[in-house]
Short mmCIF file of all heavy atoms in Angstrom, two decimals:
data_model
loop_
_atom_site.label_atom_id
_atom_site.label_comp_id
_atom_site.label_asym_id
_atom_site.label_seq_id
_atom_site.Cartn_x
_atom_site.Cartn_y
_atom_site.Cartn_z
N PRO X 69 8.40 -9.15 -4.85
CA PRO X 69 7.08 -8.63 -4.50
C PRO X 69 5.96 -9.03 -5.45
O PRO X 69 4.81 -8.71 -5.20
CB PRO X 69 7.29 -7.11 -4.57
CG PRO X 69 8.26 -6.97 -5.72
CD PRO X 69 9.18 -8.17 -5.66
N GLN X 70 6.27 -9.71 -6.56
CA GLN X 70 5.27 -9.87 -7.61
C GLN X 70 4.03 -10.67 -7.20
O GLN X 70 2.94 -10.41 -7.71
CB GLN X 70 5.90 -10.49 -8.87
CG GLN X 70 6.70 -11.76 -8.65
CD GLN X 70 8.18 -11.50 -8.49
OE1 GLN X 70 8.56 -10.61 -7.74
NE2 GLN X 70 9.00 -12.25 -9.20
N ASP X 71 4.18 -11.60 -6.27
CA ASP X 71 3.03 -12.40 -5.86
C ASP X 71 2.11 -11.66 -4.89
O ASP X 71 0.99 -12.11 -4.63
CB ASP X 71 3.48 -13.71 -5.20
CG ASP X 71 3.80 -14.79 -6.22
OD1 ASP X 71 3.48 -14.60 -7.41
OD2 ASP X 71 4.36 -15.84 -5.82
N LEU X 72 2.55 -10.55 -4.34
CA LEU X 72 1.73 -9.84 -3.36
C LEU X 72 0.44 -9.36 -3.99
O LEU X 72 -0.66 -9.51 -3.42
CB LEU X 72 2.51 -8.67 -2.76
CG LEU X 72 3.77 -9.04 -1.98
CD1 LEU X 72 4.45 -7.78 -1.45
CD2 LEU X 72 3.44 -9.99 -0.82
N ASP X 73 0.52 -8.76 -5.17
CA ASP X 73 -0.70 -8.30 -5.85
C ASP X 73 -1.55 -9.47 -6.32
O ASP X 73 -2.78 -9.42 -6.25
CB ASP X 73 -0.33 -7.41 -7.04
CG ASP X 73 0.04 -6.01 -6.62
OD1 ASP X 73 -0.72 -5.40 -5.86
OD2 ASP X 73 1.10 -5.52 -7.05
N ARG X 74 -0.90 -10.50 -6.78
CA ARG X 74 -1.64 -11.65 -7.29
C ARG X 74 -2.52 -12.29 -6.22
O ARG X 74 -3.65 -12.70 -6.50
CB ARG X 74 -0.66 -12.69 -7.84
CG ARG X 74 -1.33 -13.95 -8.35
CD ARG X 74 -0.32 -14.98 -8.81
NE ARG X 74 -0.96 -16.24 -9.12
CZ ARG X 74 -0.33 -17.37 -9.35
NH1 ARG X 74 1.00 -17.40 -9.33
NH2 ARG X 74 -0.99 -18.48 -9.61
N PHE X 75 -2.02 -12.38 -4.99
CA PHE X 75 -2.76 -13.06 -3.92
C PHE X 75 -3.28 -12.09 -2.86
O PHE X 75 -3.51 -12.48 -1.72
CB PHE X 75 -1.87 -14.11 -3.26
CG PHE X 75 -1.47 -15.24 -4.18
CD1 PHE X 75 -0.21 -15.27 -4.76
CD2 PHE X 75 -2.36 -16.25 -4.48
CE1 PHE X 75 0.17 -16.30 -5.62
CE2 PHE X 75 -2.00 -17.29 -5.33
CZ PHE X 75 -0.74 -17.32 -5.90
N LYS X 76 -3.49 -10.84 -3.23
CA LYS X 76 -3.84 -9.82 -2.25
C LYS X 76 -5.20 -10.04 -1.60
O LYS X 76 -5.48 -9.46 -0.54
CB LYS X 76 -3.77 -8.44 -2.88
CG LYS X 76 -4.84 -8.12 -3.90
CD LYS X 76 -4.61 -6.76 -4.53
CE LYS X 76 -4.57 -5.65 -3.52
NZ LYS X 76 -4.33 -4.32 -4.12
N GLU X 77 -6.06 -10.87 -2.18
CA GLU X 77 -7.36 -11.15 -1.57
C GLU X 77 -7.28 -12.20 -0.47
O GLU X 77 -8.26 -12.45 0.23
CB GLU X 77 -8.36 -11.61 -2.64
CG GLU X 77 -8.63 -10.57 -3.73
CD GLU X 77 -9.10 -9.25 -3.16
OE1 GLU X 77 -9.93 -9.26 -2.23
OE2 GLU X 77 -8.61 -8.20 -3.63
N LEU X 78 -6.12 -12.81 -0.30
CA LEU X 78 -5.95 -13.87 0.69
C LEU X 78 -5.13 -13.39 1.88
O LEU X 78 -4.23 -12.57 1.72
CB LEU X 78 -5.25 -15.08 0.05
CG LEU X 78 -5.92 -15.69 -1.18
CD1 LEU X 78 -5.06 -16.81 -1.74
CD2 LEU X 78 -7.32 -16.21 -0.84
N PRO X 79 -5.42 -13.88 3.09
CA PRO X 79 -4.58 -13.51 4.24
C PRO X 79 -3.18 -14.10 4.07
O PRO X 79 -3.00 -15.16 3.48
CB PRO X 79 -5.31 -14.14 5.43
CG PRO X 79 -6.14 -15.25 4.85
CD PRO X 79 -6.53 -14.78 3.47
N MET X 80 -2.19 -13.39 4.61
CA MET X 80 -0.80 -13.81 4.46
C MET X 80 -0.09 -13.82 5.81
O MET X 80 -0.32 -12.96 6.66
CB MET X 80 -0.06 -12.86 3.51
CG MET X 80 -0.65 -12.78 2.12
SD MET X 80 0.24 -11.58 1.08
CE MET X 80 -0.80 -11.59 -0.40
N ARG X 81 0.77 -14.80 5.95
CA ARG X 81 1.65 -14.86 7.12
C ARG X 81 2.94 -14.14 6.74
O ARG X 81 3.71 -14.61 5.90
CB ARG X 81 1.93 -16.32 7.48
CG ARG X 81 2.80 -16.55 8.70
CD ARG X 81 3.10 -18.03 8.85
NE ARG X 81 3.91 -18.32 10.02
CZ ARG X 81 3.43 -18.76 11.18
NH1 ARG X 81 2.13 -19.01 11.31
NH2 ARG X 81 4.23 -19.00 12.20
N VAL X 82 3.16 -13.00 7.34
CA VAL X 82 4.23 -12.10 6.93
C VAL X 82 5.35 -12.10 7.97
O VAL X 82 5.13 -11.75 9.13
CB VAL X 82 3.69 -10.66 6.74
CG1 VAL X 82 4.80 -9.73 6.27
CG2 VAL X 82 2.52 -10.65 5.77
N GLU X 83 6.54 -12.49 7.55
CA GLU X 83 7.71 -12.44 8.40
C GLU X 83 8.58 -11.27 7.93
O GLU X 83 8.95 -11.21 6.75
CB GLU X 83 8.49 -13.75 8.32
CG GLU X 83 7.67 -14.97 8.76
CD GLU X 83 8.38 -16.27 8.49
OE1 GLU X 83 9.63 -16.24 8.34
OE2 GLU X 83 7.71 -17.32 8.44
N PHE X 84 8.88 -10.36 8.83
CA PHE X 84 9.62 -9.17 8.44
C PHE X 84 10.61 -8.78 9.52
O PHE X 84 10.44 -9.10 10.70
CB PHE X 84 8.66 -8.01 8.14
CG PHE X 84 7.83 -7.59 9.33
CD1 PHE X 84 8.23 -6.53 10.13
CD2 PHE X 84 6.64 -8.24 9.63
CE1 PHE X 84 7.47 -6.14 11.22
CE2 PHE X 84 5.87 -7.85 10.71
CZ PHE X 84 6.28 -6.80 11.51
N MET X 85 11.64 -8.07 9.11
CA MET X 85 12.68 -7.64 10.03
C MET X 85 12.27 -6.33 10.70
O MET X 85 11.89 -5.36 10.03
CB MET X 85 13.99 -7.43 9.27
CG MET X 85 15.19 -7.18 10.18
SD MET X 85 15.63 -8.63 11.16
CE MET X 85 16.22 -9.75 9.86
N SER X 86 12.32 -6.31 12.02
CA SER X 86 11.97 -5.10 12.76
C SER X 86 13.16 -4.15 12.82
O SER X 86 14.27 -4.49 12.40
CB SER X 86 11.54 -5.47 14.19
OG SER X 86 12.67 -5.90 14.94
N GLU X 87 12.93 -2.98 13.38
CA GLU X 87 13.99 -1.98 13.45
C GLU X 87 15.11 -2.43 14.38
O GLU X 87 16.23 -1.93 14.28
CB GLU X 87 13.41 -0.65 13.93
CG GLU X 87 12.45 -0.01 12.93
CD GLU X 87 11.88 1.30 13.43
OE1 GLU X 87 12.16 1.65 14.60
OE2 GLU X 87 11.16 1.97 12.67
N VAL X 88 14.82 -3.35 15.30
CA VAL X 88 15.84 -3.80 16.24
C VAL X 88 16.50 -5.10 15.78
O VAL X 88 17.22 -5.76 16.52
CB VAL X 88 15.24 -3.99 17.66
CG1 VAL X 88 14.75 -2.66 18.19
CG2 VAL X 88 14.12 -5.02 17.64
N GLY X 89 16.23 -5.50 14.52
CA GLY X 89 16.88 -6.66 13.97
C GLY X 89 16.26 -7.99 14.32
O GLY X 89 16.87 -9.04 14.15
N LYS X 90 15.02 -7.97 14.79
CA LYS X 90 14.30 -9.20 15.13
C LYS X 90 13.29 -9.52 14.05
O LYS X 90 12.62 -8.62 13.52
CB LYS X 90 13.59 -9.03 16.47
CG LYS X 90 12.74 -10.23 16.87
CD LYS X 90 11.98 -9.96 18.15
CE LYS X 90 11.05 -11.12 18.50
NZ LYS X 90 10.25 -10.84 19.73
N VAL X 91 13.17 -10.80 13.69
CA VAL X 91 12.16 -11.20 12.72
C VAL X 91 10.82 -11.36 13.42
O VAL X 91 10.68 -12.17 14.34
CB VAL X 91 12.54 -12.52 12.01
CG1 VAL X 91 11.43 -12.95 11.07
CG2 VAL X 91 13.84 -12.34 11.23
N ASN X 92 9.85 -10.56 13.03
CA ASN X 92 8.50 -10.63 13.59
C ASN X 92 7.55 -11.24 12.58
O ASN X 92 7.80 -11.21 11.37
CB ASN X 92 8.01 -9.23 13.98
CG ASN X 92 8.75 -8.67 15.18
OD1 ASN X 92 9.06 -9.39 16.12
ND2 ASN X 92 9.04 -7.38 15.14
N THR X 93 6.46 -11.78 13.06
CA THR X 93 5.47 -12.41 12.20
C THR X 93 4.07 -11.92 12.54
O THR X 93 3.68 -11.90 13.71
CB THR X 93 5.50 -13.96 12.35
OG1 THR X 93 6.81 -14.43 12.08
CG2 THR X 93 4.53 -14.61 11.37
N LEU X 94 3.34 -11.50 11.52
CA LEU X 94 1.95 -11.07 11.67
C LEU X 94 1.11 -11.72 10.56
O LEU X 94 1.62 -12.03 9.49
CB LEU X 94 1.83 -9.55 11.56
CG LEU X 94 2.37 -8.71 12.73
CD1 LEU X 94 2.37 -7.24 12.35
CD2 LEU X 94 1.55 -8.95 13.99
N ILE X 95 -0.17 -11.88 10.84
CA ILE X 95 -1.11 -12.36 9.83
C ILE X 95 -1.82 -11.13 9.27
O ILE X 95 -2.62 -10.50 9.97
CB ILE X 95 -2.13 -13.36 10.41
CG1 ILE X 95 -1.41 -14.47 11.17
CG2 ILE X 95 -2.99 -13.93 9.29
CD1 ILE X 95 -0.41 -15.23 10.34
N LEU X 96 -1.51 -10.78 8.02
CA LEU X 96 -1.95 -9.52 7.45
C LEU X 96 -2.64 -9.72 6.11
O LEU X 96 -2.55 -10.79 5.50
CB LEU X 96 -0.75 -8.58 7.26
CG LEU X 96 0.09 -8.25 8.50
CD1 LEU X 96 1.33 -7.46 8.11
CD2 LEU X 96 -0.74 -7.48 9.52
N LYS X 97 -3.28 -8.66 5.66
CA LYS X 97 -3.86 -8.61 4.32
C LYS X 97 -3.15 -7.50 3.56
O LYS X 97 -3.06 -6.36 4.02
CB LYS X 97 -5.36 -8.33 4.38
CG LYS X 97 -6.08 -8.44 3.03
CD LYS X 97 -7.58 -8.32 3.23
CE LYS X 97 -8.31 -8.52 1.90
NZ LYS X 97 -8.05 -7.45 0.93
N TYR X 98 -2.63 -7.84 2.39
CA TYR X 98 -1.87 -6.88 1.60
C TYR X 98 -2.79 -5.86 0.95
O TYR X 98 -3.85 -6.21 0.41
CB TYR X 98 -1.07 -7.63 0.54
CG TYR X 98 -0.30 -6.74 -0.41
CD1 TYR X 98 0.84 -6.06 0.01
CD2 TYR X 98 -0.72 -6.60 -1.73
CE1 TYR X 98 1.55 -5.25 -0.86
CE2 TYR X 98 0.00 -5.79 -2.61
CZ TYR X 98 1.12 -5.12 -2.17
OH TYR X 98 1.82 -4.31 -3.04
N LEU X 99 -2.37 -4.58 0.97
CA LEU X 99 -3.16 -3.51 0.37
C LEU X 99 -2.50 -2.98 -0.91
O LEU X 99 -3.09 -3.05 -1.99
CB LEU X 99 -3.37 -2.38 1.38
CG LEU X 99 -4.13 -2.77 2.65
CD1 LEU X 99 -4.18 -1.60 3.62
CD2 LEU X 99 -5.54 -3.25 2.30
N ASP X 100 -1.31 -2.44 -0.79
CA ASP X 100 -0.64 -1.91 -1.97
C ASP X 100 0.83 -1.63 -1.66
O ASP X 100 1.28 -1.80 -0.53
CB ASP X 100 -1.33 -0.64 -2.49
CG ASP X 100 -1.46 0.43 -1.41
OD1 ASP X 100 -0.50 0.62 -0.65
OD2 ASP X 100 -2.52 1.07 -1.33
N ARG X 101 1.55 -1.17 -2.70
CA ARG X 101 2.97 -0.85 -2.56
C ARG X 101 3.24 0.43 -3.34
O ARG X 101 2.80 0.57 -4.49
CB ARG X 101 3.82 -2.00 -3.08
CG ARG X 101 5.32 -1.75 -3.06
CD ARG X 101 6.09 -3.07 -3.29
NE ARG X 101 5.68 -3.72 -4.53
CZ ARG X 101 6.36 -3.65 -5.67
NH1 ARG X 101 7.46 -2.91 -5.73
NH2 ARG X 101 5.95 -4.28 -6.74
N ASP X 102 3.97 1.36 -2.73
CA ASP X 102 4.23 2.62 -3.41
C ASP X 102 5.52 2.52 -4.25
O ASP X 102 6.19 1.49 -4.28
CB ASP X 102 4.29 3.79 -2.42
CG ASP X 102 5.45 3.67 -1.43
OD1 ASP X 102 6.44 2.96 -1.73
OD2 ASP X 102 5.37 4.30 -0.36
N ASP X 103 5.83 3.60 -4.92
CA ASP X 103 6.99 3.62 -5.82
C ASP X 103 8.31 3.49 -5.07
O ASP X 103 9.34 3.17 -5.68
CB ASP X 103 6.99 4.91 -6.64
CG ASP X 103 5.82 4.99 -7.61
OD1 ASP X 103 5.29 3.92 -7.96
OD2 ASP X 103 5.45 6.11 -8.01
N GLU X 104 8.30 3.76 -3.78
CA GLU X 104 9.51 3.66 -2.97
C GLU X 104 9.70 2.27 -2.38
O GLU X 104 10.65 2.02 -1.63
CB GLU X 104 9.48 4.70 -1.84
CG GLU X 104 9.31 6.13 -2.32
CD GLU X 104 10.45 6.56 -3.22
OE1 GLU X 104 11.60 6.16 -2.93
OE2 GLU X 104 10.21 7.29 -4.20
N GLY X 105 8.77 1.34 -2.68
CA GLY X 105 8.90 -0.01 -2.16
C GLY X 105 8.33 -0.21 -0.77
O GLY X 105 8.64 -1.20 -0.11
N MET X 106 7.49 0.71 -0.32
CA MET X 106 6.85 0.58 0.99
C MET X 106 5.51 -0.14 0.82
O MET X 106 4.65 0.32 0.07
CB MET X 106 6.62 1.95 1.63
CG MET X 106 6.05 1.88 3.03
SD MET X 106 7.20 1.15 4.22
CE MET X 106 8.41 2.48 4.39
N CYS X 107 5.36 -1.26 1.50
CA CYS X 107 4.12 -2.05 1.41
C CYS X 107 3.17 -1.66 2.53
O CYS X 107 3.57 -1.51 3.68
CB CYS X 107 4.43 -3.54 1.50
SG CYS X 107 5.47 -4.18 0.18
N SER X 108 1.90 -1.53 2.18
CA SER X 108 0.87 -1.20 3.15
C SER X 108 0.01 -2.44 3.41
O SER X 108 -0.39 -3.14 2.47
CB SER X 108 0.00 -0.06 2.62
OG SER X 108 -1.02 0.27 3.55
N TRP X 109 -0.25 -2.68 4.68
CA TRP X 109 -1.00 -3.87 5.11
C TRP X 109 -2.06 -3.49 6.14
O TRP X 109 -1.97 -2.46 6.78
CB TRP X 109 -0.07 -4.91 5.75
CG TRP X 109 1.14 -5.26 4.97
CD1 TRP X 109 2.30 -4.53 4.84
CD2 TRP X 109 1.36 -6.46 4.22
NE1 TRP X 109 3.21 -5.19 4.06
CE2 TRP X 109 2.67 -6.39 3.66
CE3 TRP X 109 0.59 -7.60 3.98
CZ2 TRP X 109 3.21 -7.40 2.89
CZ3 TRP X 109 1.14 -8.61 3.20
CH2 TRP X 109 2.42 -8.51 2.66
N GLU X 110 -3.03 -4.39 6.31
CA GLU X 110 -3.96 -4.30 7.42
C GLU X 110 -4.06 -5.67 8.06
O GLU X 110 -3.67 -6.68 7.46
CB GLU X 110 -5.34 -3.83 6.94
CG GLU X 110 -6.02 -4.82 6.01
CD GLU X 110 -7.36 -4.31 5.51
OE1 GLU X 110 -7.71 -3.14 5.81
OE2 GLU X 110 -8.07 -5.07 4.82
N LEU X 111 -4.57 -5.71 9.29
CA LEU X 111 -4.74 -7.00 9.95
C LEU X 111 -5.73 -7.87 9.18
O LEU X 111 -6.79 -7.40 8.77
CB LEU X 111 -5.25 -6.81 11.38
CG LEU X 111 -4.24 -6.37 12.44
CD1 LEU X 111 -4.94 -6.17 13.77
CD2 LEU X 111 -3.12 -7.39 12.58
N ALA X 112 -5.39 -9.13 8.98
CA ALA X 112 -6.32 -10.05 8.34
C ALA X 112 -7.40 -10.45 9.33
O ALA X 112 -7.14 -10.62 10.53
CB ALA X 112 -5.57 -11.29 7.86
N ASP X 113 -8.61 -10.58 8.84
CA ASP X 113 -9.74 -10.96 9.70
C ASP X 113 -9.75 -12.47 9.88
O ASP X 113 -10.53 -13.20 9.26
CB ASP X 113 -11.04 -10.47 9.08
CG ASP X 113 -12.22 -10.62 10.04
OD1 ASP X 113 -11.98 -10.97 11.22
OD2 ASP X 113 -13.37 -10.40 9.62
N VAL X 114 -8.84 -12.96 10.73
CA VAL X 114 -8.69 -14.39 10.98
C VAL X 114 -8.68 -14.63 12.49
O VAL X 114 -8.50 -13.70 13.28
CB VAL X 114 -7.40 -14.94 10.35
CG1 VAL X 114 -7.44 -14.82 8.83
CG2 VAL X 114 -6.17 -14.22 10.90
#
């Protein structure tokens, strides 16, 4: 996760595993991460 904060001002192409086991992709902007490892994102303005 270390690069997420470093590049948080840039839009990111995020590939993540869904609850049904499918890899989904969204273009997002990173916001923050809590102590439990949950990352918060918003849609990138692209």
Side-chain angles (χ1 to χ4, degrees):
Q70 52 264 47
D71 276 350
L72 297 179
D73 282 310
R74 178 183 172 190
F75 295 102
K76 70 184 302 180
E77 298 304 318
L78 303 176
M80 301 178 186
R81 182 185 181 99
V82 182
E83 300 172 20
F84 62 96
M85 189 68 68
S86 71
E87 294 179 354
V88 297
K90 176 184 176 183
V91 177
N92 290 322
T93 304
L94 289 171
I95 309 302
L96 303 173
K97 187 173 184 294
Y98 176 73
L99 298 176
D100 55 41
R101 177 167 55 99
D102 64 22
D103 294 337
E104 303 299 322
M106 184 67 72
C107 298
S108 179
W109 309 77
E110 65 182 5
L111 282 178
D113 190 8
V114 296

